[in-house]
Amino acid sequence: MTDAAPTHPLAGILGGKPPRRDTYEGWQYYCRSRRSFVPAPRLSLDQWQAMSDRDKALHNLHRTATHVNMPLQETPMAKRVASLVDRRIRGNAMRLTSATWPGVMVFGLGYQGKTETVCDIAAEFEVTFREAGDQINPYAMPGTRALHAPVVYVQTPVTATPKSTCQAILDFFGAHTKGLTLPQLVQQVAASLDGHGVRALILDFTDRR
């Protein structure tokens, strides 16, 4: 029996785009893989020149992937935002009452790392929360296919309305929404969040003004 050939770090990227994280399956993939990328090794000029043309091309492609997939820089503001979001998510998750839960609004210019910061904190929470609960949704109804979703990430439409926002939330679970009125959508969202054991709902609004 021979050992399997090692997989190159680029295999996951070249194999196709990952699923959208605003679906249940896509979010689970993100939670598992968000820190799995292996950056290109640093080579001296002599090391690079000693490589074959094929290996040079592969290494250069790996370097490009490394540059465009750099981790977020931990700035003082990013640390403050991450700390606040983490405290709020964990605090809300431990509440035993059904009172309104406080939220956090993170806003700023585009490409500042808002989405990635919040998603990374939420994903870390989900991994820990699942481990603490043995991967079980304590509120799942017997005999039903109740997805356990401690965190729901939703990208709202550019021109978001109450109805389209409800539809986007339900799309995360792959739920049927066609023909439903706004009151029915609101009721179904509330039932879905409760039935799937959701502890954190992330609404990612995009302002295109």
Side-chain angles (χ1 to χ4, degrees):
M1 181 176 179
T2 59
D3 294 334
T7 302
H8 193 277
L10 286 177
I13 296 177
L14 299 179
K17 289 186 177 181
R20 292 169 55 97
R21 72 177 76 164
D22 57 352
T23 64
Y24 178 80
E25 292 77 12
W27 178 259
Q28 297 308 309
Y29 177 87
Y30 168 74
C31 288
R32 296 191 305 269
S33 65
R34 70 191 190 282
R35 297 175 184 170
S36 62
F37 178 72
V38 178
R42 298 182 62 180
L43 302 179
S44 67
L45 179 59
D46 290 340
Q47 289 175 315
W48 185 80
Q49 289 178 335
M51 300 172 75
S52 66
D53 289 342
R54 178 184 178 280
D55 287 342
K56 285 179 181 178
L58 189 60
H59 176 72
N60 290 342
L61 189 61
H62 194 178
R63 286 186 62 200
T64 299
T66 299
H67 292 160
V68 300
N69 289 284
M70 286 184 174
L72 288 173
Q73 299 301 306
E74 193 176 52
T75 64
M77 179 57 71
K79 291 177 65 175
R80 291 178 60 185
V81 170
S83 177
L84 174 60
V85 172
D86 182 58
R87 293 198 311 270
R88 190 60 48 84
I89 290 177
R90 293 175 186 274
N92 285 342
M94 296 297 104
R95 285 176 177 266
L96 299 178
T97 64
S98 58
T100 301
W101 294 354
V104 176
M105 179 178 290
V106 181
F107 61 92
L109 298 176
Y111 298 100
Q112 300 297 307
K114 303 182 298 296
T115 295
E116 295 307 317
T117 296
V118 173
C119 283
D120 187 67
I121 292 298
E124 187 64 28
F125 160 77
E126 170 153 339
V127 171
T128 303
F129 192 78
R130 283 179 176 276
E131 290 176 352
D134 294 328
Q135 309 292 326
I136 297 174
N137 176 8
Y139 302 101
M141 296 179 61
T144 64
R145 179 178 176 269
L147 301 174
H148 188 195
V151 175
V152 170
Y153 170 76
V154 174
Q155 287 186 325
T156 63
V158 176
T159 55
T161 64
K163 188 171 184 178
S164 64
T165 300
C166 286
Q167 289 173 326
I169 294 172
L170 294 172
D171 284 345
F172 180 89
F173 302 107
H176 171 75
T177 62
K178 185 176 181 180
L180 297 181
T181 64
L182 179 56
Q184 290 173 325
L185 287 169
V186 172
Q187 184 178 21
Q188 188 168 340
V189 166
S192 293
L193 296 181
D194 183 57
H196 294 301
V198 178
R199 291 296 183 272
L201 171 61
I202 303 171
L203 297 177
D204 194 348
F205 288 94
T206 302
D207 189 348
R208 299 286 178 82
R209 291 178 298 175

